[in-house]
Amino acid sequence: MTSIELLLQRQSTPLLSSPAPNNDDLEQILAAGMRVPDHACLQPWHFTVVTGNGLQRFSDLLVQSSDTQSANLIKIAKMPFRAPMIIVVSTAFVQHEKVPTQEQLITAGCSAHAMQMAAVALGYGAMWRTGELAYNTKVKQGFSIKDHDEIVGFLYIGTSCKEQVLKASKSFENKVSYWE
Ligand SMILES: Cc1cc2nc3c(=O)[nH]c(=O)nc-3n(C[C@H](O)[C@H](O)[C@H](O)COP(=O)(O)O)c2cc1C
């Protein structure tokens, strides 16, 4: 897959199974997450790699943090097992006179996107998810994320369970204007 094919054909993979990225591949994925546009080089992000027993720990955290009814709790408990690896991308905001937190949030989002693209380039599937528990104070505390920081996403990574049909491209016609 060429770089332009990756950019033009990128899509998410909701159904994931083992294997997860091996250590070498994980290092490349994390390195891609570090190589993002970053005003003033603040590196305003943190990655928590969740695998193995960590998935059960994540599941327990989601259940303990949730206020929902028991039927939903079963669904919530299963969420982390939708992939063999999850990278929790959070912000690590830095006070800076020229770089508002809005820009730093975008940069952390770029990290999530870059890691998804790297995973796809290495032959894995990935899906960026959030949901209301991404904004839950107890979940944030469970990952030692400070109150003023944010979870940008849970990046689920693994191997695609089935051959994926390539989605049609979206037209940019209504999204672009030209000053000439
Ligand atoms: C910040 C963010 C949060 C998202 N959260 C969810 C989510 O919780 N559940 C979900 O099904 N898709 C979520 N998505 C969308 C998927 O990652 C994916 O982009 C979408 O299903 C479209 O599929 P595609 O990436 O193949 O175009 C989220 C995307 C972003 C950027």
Side-chain angles (χ1 to χ4, degrees):
M1 183 186 277
T2 64
S3 308
I4 194 68
E5 282 170 348
L6 176 66
L7 287 165
L8 296 180
Q9 297 178 11
R10 180 216 71 83
Q11 61 186 27
S12 301
T13 310
L15 295 177
L16 296 163
S17 61
S18 293
N22 59 38
N23 283 344
D24 287 349
D25 289 344
L26 175 60
E27 283 187 11
Q28 292 204 70
I29 290 167
L30 295 171
M34 298 295 294
R35 201 176 175 94
V36 292
D38 177 16
H39 193 175
C41 302
L42 301 178
Q43 301 189 1
W45 58 74
H46 184 81
F47 311 141
T48 305
V49 181
V50 181
T51 53
N53 293 336
L55 296 172
Q56 184 60 54
R57 208 173 140 194
F58 186 16
S59 169
D60 294 344
L61 175 64
L62 292 180
V63 169
Q64 286 157 16
S65 304
S66 182
D67 300 326
T68 40
Q69 309 296 328
S70 56
N72 258 341
L73 286 181
I74 293 168
K75 189 176 164 204
I76 287 167
K78 288 181 181 167
M79 283 177 175
F81 300 102
R82 292 181 291 196
M85 174 180 284
I86 300 170
I87 302 180
V88 183
V89 181
S90 53
T91 62
F93 290 135
V94 177
Q95 282 277 3
H96 193 284
E97 59 178 7
K98 288 189 181 157
V99 189
T101 52
Q102 177 191 357
E103 286 189 18
Q104 298 182 39
L105 178 67
I106 293 168
T107 283
C110 287
S111 292
H113 183 57
M115 289 194 284
Q116 181 174 25
M117 298 292 267
V120 172
L122 290 166
Y124 300 97
M127 178 137 176
W128 182 346
R129 296 178 184 270
T130 48
E132 63 184 40
L133 284 163
Y135 308 103
N136 179 298
T137 309
K138 291 179 194 161
V139 173
K140 279 169 54 172
Q141 285 169 350
F143 283 109
S144 303
I145 295 166
K146 294 185 178 131
D147 286 349
H148 65 264
D149 278 307
E150 306 285 349
I151 290 177
V152 171
F154 304 119
L155 186 60
Y156 286 68
I157 308 177
T159 301
S160 181
C161 292
K162 58 175 187 178
E163 188 77 16
Q164 268 190 289
V165 177
L166 189 64
K167 291 182 195 167
S169 301
K170 294 168 192 156
S171 167
F172 54 78
E173 297 300 328
N174 297 330
K175 291 287 179 189
V176 185
S177 50
Y178 299 90
W179 283 28
E180 293 171 325

